[in-house]
Amino acid sequence: MKAIRTALFACLSITAISAAQAQSQPPLKLGAILDMSGLYADITGPGSEAAAKMAVEDFGGTVLGRKIEIVVADHLNKADLSANIARDMLDNQGVEAIIDVAASATALAAAEIAKARGKIIMFSGPGSIRLSNEACGPYTVHYVFDTFAQANTTGLAAVKQGLDSWFFLSADYAFGQDLERDTSNVIKASGGKVLGNVKHPINTSDFSSFLLQAQSSKAKVVGLANAGGDTINAIKQAAEFGIAKGGQKLSPLLAFISDIDSVGLDTAQGLILAEAFYWDLNDDTRAFSKRFMERTKRVPTSVQAGLYSETMHYLQAVKAAGTTDAAAVMKKMKETPINDFFAKNGRIREDGRMVHDMYLFEIKKPSESKGRWDNYKLLATVPGDQAFQPLSESRCPLVKK
């Protein structure tokens, strides 16, 4: 009997020691660098924070005996601030990996910091294709969309419909420049023409002079190579200028469900756009979006849905690898297909591009909508290997040719 009591005491002691050791381990921190208050706040912002925390909760809250924490910072759309935040997170706050980094210039700045420290950084908010080309790294993942996929999905479809002359209104920073260039390349390769362009500062409130130039070009399509508040303002003011009534089509080359909600279907109806995700696409997207809406009172954007997916994929890789070592975790991430509500048979290539299907949508007429957020009609599903830049054209030095 004494031997049994001794054995039981020993087992209880081991359990207690193990629990104490688990509690004493530092948390696994993921750093989300977001636009919490600026023109991209509806696309990323508090919704992205909510999505990341949902992923942590659904995963179970711990991994390898460590509590998982999401650390959030607002980069205020300043590249130097984004770099400083990334540096502080990785050097001082014990962050193991960085997620989202909304906007391209801020993402490129944070990418350099993570690359220099050999840390994983995953992008759902930025679109610049440079992130998987010249700025690629061994631990960099570009998850949701990029300028090539947006251009390829939207521009090619438009030219096929006879909309073969374009004028661009582009945001004057990395993302806008890349989106205009990539769309121009698609248009020209498809037999179309680019009649001109004009660049505007980020966070522009008055588009009148730019829209006048677009009207005078007589281009069939006015392409908006911008995002967030800039896209919303440009669409609203284009309606006031009678762009559509004058026979020109307006094509937002990057727009989100939050943008269309802000603009309203009366103004946005008939627009054609590319997206990586839509909340009402199928049963899986609806199930996730219902839970997301219970928290945020809004449906998720593709960026927010992608952030959940990339966070979950990272945590599953950490568990499978049995370590947070960047090389071991990235190996697991790249060799494991992504199958969830966001992507089916998604995969991360050697250039860091996560390849998945893209979708072409048309904005519904008010009479076709059943209520708020019921905004999109699916026109086409574009397979990932057709939507994204082929590896044969990659400028990433990690790609073997």
Side-chain angles (χ1 to χ4, degrees):
M1 192 69 178
K2 183 178 179 181
I4 294 174
R5 285 199 300 270
T6 300
L8 180 60
F9 178 77
C11 289
L12 291 172
S13 297
I14 292 170
T15 301
I17 291 169
S18 297
Q21 288 176 339
Q23 290 177 356
S24 67
Q25 288 197 68
L28 171 60
K29 296 181 180 180
L30 301 181
I33 305 179
L34 309 172
D35 179 356
M36 298 295 286
S37 54
L39 75 166
Y40 306 130
D42 286 345
I43 299 169
T44 63
S48 284
E49 180 180 4
K53 289 182 176 178
M54 279 180 66
V56 170
E57 291 170 16
D58 291 349
F59 186 78
T62 63
V63 65
L64 307 183
R66 299 169 64 181
K67 182 182 178 182
I68 307 163
E69 293 182 3
I70 302 296
V71 179
V72 176
D74 188 348
H75 59 43
L76 303 177
N77 286 302
K78 297 179 180 178
D80 57 345
L81 180 57
S82 179
N84 289 337
I85 290 170
R87 188 179 295 109
D88 183 58
M89 282 182 169
L90 297 175
D91 292 353
N92 303 320
Q93 297 188 48
V95 165
E96 294 279 1
I98 292 175
I99 53 179
D100 200 328
V101 198
S104 294
T106 46
L108 288 163
E112 289 304 309
I113 301 300
K115 190 188 301 184
R117 286 152 180 77
K119 293 292 187 179
I120 289 174
I121 186 165
M122 299 175 286
F123 301 111
S124 56
S128 175
I129 198 170
R130 299 180 208 180
L131 292 165
S132 56
N133 277 282
E134 297 89 350
C136 74
Y139 309 127
T140 298
V141 178
H142 202 179
Y143 208 85
V144 175
F145 68 98
D146 60 35
T147 51
F148 187 100
Q150 295 297 129
N152 217 32
T153 305
T154 307
L156 186 59
V159 173
K160 284 182 177 180
Q161 294 178 11
L163 302 171
D164 54 5
S165 63
W166 287 61
F167 184 95
F168 287 97
L169 245 79
S170 305
D172 193 11
Y173 68 110
F175 166 76
Q177 295 159 10
D178 287 352
L179 187 52
E180 178 186 330
R181 183 197 65 229
D182 291 340
T183 309
S184 295
N185 289 341
V186 171
I187 291 164
K188 293 173 184 176
S190 304
K193 297 178 180 179
V194 177
L195 302 184
N197 69 344
V198 62
K199 291 181 168 54
H200 66 81
I202 189 172
N203 219 2
T204 294
S205 58
D206 184 2
F207 282 87
S208 56
S209 64
F210 309 124
L211 290 167
L212 285 171
Q213 293 180 60
Q215 280 183 316
S216 64
S217 75
K218 305 299 182 183
K220 294 179 182 178
V221 184
V222 179
L224 302 179
N226 49 23
D230 285 334
T231 300
I232 292 169
N233 287 335
I235 292 173
K236 288 180 177 178
Q237 291 175 40
E240 295 170 4
F241 271 74
I243 294 285
K245 290 180 180 178
Q248 291 176 299
K249 285 276 189 180
L250 197 68
S251 178
L253 299 171
L254 179 65
F256 298 90
I257 190 74
S258 54
D259 301 327
I260 303 305
D261 182 64
S262 296
V263 171
L265 293 184
D266 283 333
T267 301
Q269 61 182 302
L271 295 178
I272 294 175
L273 53 83
E275 280 259 43
F277 169 89
Y278 178 48
W279 72 271
D280 199 20
L281 201 59
N282 54 50
D283 289 343
D284 290 341
T285 61
R286 284 188 285 271
F288 169 77
S289 299
K290 181 180 179 181
R291 294 197 300 124
F292 184 89
M293 283 190 73
E294 289 171 354
R295 289 183 176 227
T296 66
K297 310 307 178 188
R298 302 170 66 87
V299 297
T301 64
S302 58
V303 169
Q304 292 158 350
L307 183 60
Y308 175 101
S309 179
E310 74 182 26
T311 302
M312 183 65 77
H313 190 60
Y314 170 81
L315 293 173
Q316 289 168 342
V318 168
K319 182 178 179 180
T323 177
T324 57
D325 174 74
V329 173
M330 186 56 70
K331 183 175 184 294
K332 287 293 182 182
M333 290 178 71
K334 287 183 175 178
E335 67 186 23
T336 306
I338 297 155
N339 282 294
D340 58 14
F341 70 91
F342 180 79
K344 301 301 180 188
N345 296 313
R347 59 189 177 88
I348 301 172
R349 302 187 311 200
E350 55 260 52
D351 60 348
R353 175 68 258 166
M354 200 282 267
V355 177
H356 55 84
D357 291 349
M358 291 288 292
Y359 306 98
L360 186 69
F361 296 104
E362 182 180 353
I363 305 303
K364 290 182 176 181
K365 299 175 182 176
S367 60
E368 296 173 320
S369 175
K370 297 176 182 177
R372 188 183 183 189
W373 309 116
D374 180 25
N375 295 346
Y376 291 0
K377 289 190 294 186
L378 180 65
L379 296 182
T381 299
V382 182
D385 59 357
Q386 296 177 26
F388 291 96
Q389 176 183 268
L391 278 177
S392 59
E393 298 177 16
S394 176
R395 302 183 298 277
C396 173
L398 300 175
V399 175
K400 298 176 182 178
K401 295 184 179 180

